Amino acid sequence: MSATTTETSVSTTASATAARPEHQSRAQATLAIHSGQEPDPITGAVVTPIYMTSTFKQDGVGGLRHGYDYSRSVNPTRDAFDTQLAAVEGARYALTFSSGLAAIDVLLRATLKPGDAILLGDDVYGGTYRLLAKVFVPWGVRVDVVDVTDTAAVSAALSQRRYAVIWVETPSNPMLRITDIRATAAIAHAHGTRVVVDNTFASPVLQHPLEDGADAVVYSTTKYIGGHSDVVGGAVLLSDEATRDEVAFLQNAAGAVPSPFDSWLDIRGLKTLALRVQRHSENALAIAQWLEGHTDVEHVWYPGLTSHPGHEIAARQMHGGFGGMISVQLRGGAAVAKAVAGATELFTLAESLGGVESLIEHPAAMTHSSVAGTALQVPDNLLRLSVGIEGVDDLIADLEQAFARARVA
Ligand code: PLP
């Protein structure tokens, strides 16, 4: 396949994935089910087929059917997901990847160069920090860490140095800190700095960073968008065409694309996202309130609690709930936290989040072990809960019995 052919097909996809403005007035739930999901023109299949093909027949050299030539560059199932996700986000473009980290890597490599600097929130997914510290820093990109929830600190940092990008997770992983996206974007843009929001915890149902001024949004679609703990994927959402083209070029050049089956699972997940997130949020709020009154608990971090320092911002910035993630610090310390994580029956001890089933993990030893000894280190008495959509009374009973067993042990 010639480079020219690849570039041609990538730009064809650009027009295919741009959300059609005439449909943007529809409800997000409608867009999730119908955008990019037209019945198959040949068979009438209501569900987008899994186009499990690496390559496409050409009608004479360069005679591509609808721009399809090779599945690293373009694939109809991936296109269907890109179109659906762009519409749900209200972005012009979605580009989907083989993992959340692949999406982050390609977005940053496409938009940064050696000598640039990035300002990173001081509470982010450990893998994001590892990618920056172990891959981007040796490549020549400077990484500085700031409490991104503190707009005065952000302002001071941006006044001292030119940063190409400020990286925001809100709610952050794992401390559930809340950053005011609108205020951060205003400060950043005044300094010519782009704002990227990792919106994985909130999902496009609860939070719309592009509307609030962010320049790009990333997702691990492995989490709420896939929603069933059966697919690893990622996405970059943006509306600026030039940046989209740079990201699309590197995605094709480097090749971290999802399989058609991955895209199909993400399409199915996204259709029910709004319903699931509503239930995740209701369950999590009830559990957070219960945890707050528990004698074994030192502190609960959940943005839906009025005691949370970012509650007012979250109430304004998140729409219809505060999500399914809770972090909780236990009075008994690391040993008790680990004992609780090992004693739950419905909460499965596992990394990841956002699936229908509840998960529990010990960030210091699991998802965030790579930030030990850095400014992002997390407390070792911390447990992170990904609250599923089971019956909430059963989940509370499970935590209660786990606390009791950990106390005895
Ligand atoms: N962003 C956040 C907030 C995450 O929690 C994760 C993974 O846990 C990622 C990005 C990376 O996603 P993936 O595991 O799909 O590469």
Side-chain angles (χ1 to χ4, degrees):
M1 186 179 55
S2 74
T4 316
T5 309
T6 305
E7 281 161 19
T8 307
S9 60
V10 168
S11 60
T12 306
T13 316
S15 55
T17 57
R20 285 171 296 171
E22 73 266 27
H23 288 160
Q24 282 305 307
S25 60
R26 289 182 172 166
Q28 193 184 48
T30 309
L31 296 169
I33 290 169
H34 292 285
S35 289
Q37 312 303 312
E38 288 78 21
D40 181 63
I42 297 172
T43 64
V46 168
V47 171
T48 302
I50 307 170
Y51 284 92
M52 214 66 189
T53 184
S54 58
T55 191
F56 299 83
K57 179 184 183 329
Q58 303 196 6
D59 298 322
V61 174
L64 308 183
R65 300 186 191 177
H66 305 287
Y68 293 109
D69 63 348
Y70 187 63
S71 280
R72 172 164 37 75
S73 313
V74 279
N75 176 278
T77 317
R78 193 168 100 214
D79 281 353
F81 179 43
D82 289 356
T83 305
Q84 179 196 26
L85 186 57
V88 167
E89 188 75 31
R92 282 185 73 206
Y93 305 112
L95 297 108
T96 53
F97 291 81
S98 53
S99 72
L101 279 176
I104 293 168
D105 174 46
V106 170
L107 173 65
L108 289 179
R109 257 189 310 136
T111 54
L112 296 177
K113 56 185 184 322
D116 284 346
I118 176 167
L119 192 57
L120 180 70
D122 67 354
D123 187 53
V124 299
Y125 170 54
T128 303
Y129 178 77
R130 182 180 54 202
L131 175 69
L132 288 168
K134 304 280 188 205
V135 179
F136 279 77
V137 169
W139 186 45
V141 170
R142 181 187 171 105
V143 179
D144 289 329
V145 173
V146 71
D147 175 0
V148 80
T149 67
D150 179 350
T151 43
V154 169
S155 203
L158 293 178
S159 307
Q160 274 162 25
R161 177 180 296 280
R162 155 120 180 82
Y163 289 96
V165 169
I166 178 164
W167 191 271
V168 175
E169 269 185 26
T170 182
S172 64
N173 183 1
M175 299 307 293
L176 283 306
R177 295 201 185 122
I178 299 295
T179 297
D180 186 330
I181 298 170
R182 204 173 276 278
T184 305
I187 298 165
H189 291 160
H191 290 85
T193 300
R194 282 193 299 258
V195 179
V196 180
V197 175
D198 183 332
N199 206 33
T200 298
F201 271 31
S203 93
V205 170
L206 298 180
Q207 192 164 264
H208 315 131
L210 295 177
E211 268 175 28
D212 286 340
D215 300 280
V217 169
V218 296
Y219 288 107
S220 167
T221 64
T222 315
K223 318 301 183 198
Y224 289 101
I225 290 173
H228 296 75
S229 305
D230 51 13
V231 60
V232 173
V236 172
L237 282 298
L238 34 74
S239 292
D240 169 52
E241 189 176 354
T243 311
R244 181 262 167 216
D245 288 349
E246 285 164 357
V247 174
F249 175 82
L250 187 57
Q251 177 182 45
N252 183 54
V257 293
S259 81
F261 187 45
D262 295 340
S263 300
W264 185 86
L265 287 168
D266 274 326
I267 289 170
R268 189 172 63 162
L270 185 52
K271 287 179 183 171
T272 58
L273 181 68
L275 287 175
R276 287 186 284 106
V277 165
Q278 187 184 341
R279 178 66 171 259
H280 283 294
S281 299
E282 287 164 11
N283 280 0
L285 179 60
I287 291 173
Q289 285 167 340
W290 174 80
L291 283 169
E292 210 172 27
H294 200 285
T295 47
D296 294 352
V297 167
E298 182 182 291
H299 199 87
V300 187
W301 300 101
Y302 184 68
L305 294 175
T306 51
S307 59
H308 189 287
H311 176 70
E312 274 179 32
I313 297 167
R316 195 175 68 236
Q317 181 167 277
M318 300 177 79
H319 310 280
F322 298 93
M325 299 303 298
I326 301 173
S327 282
V328 54
Q329 290 179 254
L330 300 186
R331 286 192 202 286
V336 169
K338 286 183 183 169
V340 169
T344 51
E345 290 168 2
L346 291 176
F347 280 85
T348 301
L349 175 56
E351 300 199 359
S352 202
L353 59 116
V356 293
E357 63 288 296
S358 294
L359 303 180
I360 189 166
E361 67 121 0
H362 183 257
M366 295 169 68
T367 50
H368 289 72
S369 57
S370 59
V371 299
T374 75
L376 286 79
Q377 180 159 329
V378 298
D380 66 1
N381 66 340
L382 187 80
L383 289 174
R384 192 189 72 182
L385 308 180
S386 171
V387 177
I389 62 171
E390 301 96 330
V392 70
D393 291 344
D394 295 330
L395 295 177
I396 289 174
D398 187 32
L399 291 172
E400 181 69 86
Q401 69 78 28
F403 280 170
R405 280 168 61 186
R407 230 176 280 134
V408 170

